[in-house]
Amino acid sequence: MAEGSGADAPMGGDRPLRRDAALNREKILRAAREVFGQHGLGVTLDDVARHAGVGVGTVYRRFPDKETLVRALFEQDLGLRQESAERALAHPDPWQGFVDFLMEMAADLAENRGLNEVIMLGSHSSEPMETVRGGMLPFLEALISRAQESGDLRAEITPSDIPVIVQMLSAASQFTQGKRPDVWRRYFEIFLNGIRQRPDNPPLSTPSLSNETVEQVMGLARPAPTQE
């Protein structure tokens, strides 16, 4: 996947980065993942450099601004999310594949504040990142269809329900202010019990959000112009 441009591209045309430069780049990305994960996207490149143990000039040579660093880091994460969806679709048990995918996504977003801000809240949006985030919809549709066709998932569940549920789980983790960051797993179990198909399930009385509304909330679409 694209990881930005400018200083984010290999030095010297198409030649690969020197070994020390490549190692510094990976060190910066690891440090950024940790500080963004703990503190969100409000941190500075100076904070990243300090956490990485490198000079701030080294960071700016690889990533001229925070937007470039965020794009490189979180497009990488979104690529991993797509790989997770592909593994889930290949799982012989449609329900377990669906659960595994949701568990991985919920864990990442509940435990990584910066990733949550990028994916769920549309922070630091750019056309490449919006394309990747929006590209997850076909995977969600396929995972949900498989689990519903197997008779394990309630028929009312739609792809637009998933971002809302994941955001709720992330909020549960943040609610404890660091005292019980893993508490989202309890509510994940409650959620799974609620969406599992059973003969005695009462119908859901409130409709799900439309895909368009979810896309607007997540920064994936511009709101329609108001009529004067």
Side-chain angles (χ1 to χ4, degrees):
M1 285 192 181
E3 294 184 354
S5 57
D8 208 19
M11 303 295 286
D14 293 331
R15 290 179 300 171
L17 294 173
R18 297 191 318 270
R19 177 173 173 78
D20 58 341
L23 289 174
N24 276 337
R25 187 178 189 279
E26 288 307 309
K27 183 186 295 185
I28 292 165
L29 285 171
R30 284 196 301 270
R33 188 181 305 278
E34 292 173 3
V35 294
F36 288 150
Q38 293 172 8
H39 305 292
L41 300 181
V43 299
T44 66
L45 290 185
D46 287 23
D47 296 324
V48 174
R50 195 158 41 244
H51 193 71
V54 300
V56 69
T58 300
V59 176
Y60 278 99
R61 279 193 294 275
R62 298 263 55 85
F63 306 99
D65 51 45
K66 187 165 68 173
E67 178 69 29
T68 305
L69 176 57
V70 168
R71 184 184 302 177
L73 183 62
F74 292 109
E75 284 182 0
Q76 187 180 76
D77 280 304
L78 287 161
L80 295 174
R81 188 67 43 241
Q82 181 172 321
E83 292 175 7
S84 173
E86 291 170 347
R87 287 195 304 273
L89 286 170
H91 199 291
D93 182 334
W95 170 254
Q96 193 58 52
F98 178 67
V99 170
D100 289 349
F101 172 77
L102 290 182
M103 174 68 83
E104 289 185 32
M105 181 167 64
D108 284 349
L109 296 177
E111 298 167 6
N112 189 320
R113 181 175 168 185
L115 182 62
N116 180 276
E117 291 177 12
V118 169
I119 294 181
M120 303 302 297
L121 304 181
S123 302
H124 288 258
S125 292
S126 65
E127 184 175 347
M129 292 176 71
E130 289 180 13
T131 298
V132 177
R133 289 192 300 158
M136 287 304 301
L137 180 59
F139 289 100
L140 277 178
E141 290 175 339
L143 287 167
I144 288 172
S145 293
R146 286 182 80 227
Q148 288 173 336
E149 289 169 4
S150 70
D152 293 300
L153 178 64
R154 294 181 68 135
E156 303 102 316
I157 302 301
T158 70
S160 67
D161 290 320
I162 305 306
V164 180
I165 293 297
V166 171
Q167 184 64 13
M168 290 167 60
L169 296 172
S170 298
S173 180
Q174 295 168 19
F175 177 75
T176 67
Q177 300 182 11
K179 295 180 175 63
R180 281 287 307 280
D182 65 336
V183 75
W184 68 268
R185 296 178 182 273
R186 171 183 174 84
Y187 299 101
F188 184 72
E189 292 180 30
I190 294 173
F191 160 67
L192 290 181
N193 283 328
I195 66 172
R196 193 82 185 253
Q197 179 61 45
R198 294 183 176 85
D200 59 345
N201 276 343
L204 299 178
S205 60
T206 305
S208 62
L209 296 174
S210 68
N211 287 333
E212 291 75 17
T213 298
V214 173
E215 288 173 354
Q216 288 179 9
V217 171
M218 294 175 67
L220 291 170
R222 297 180 182 273
T226 56
Q227 299 292 327
E228 295 185 0

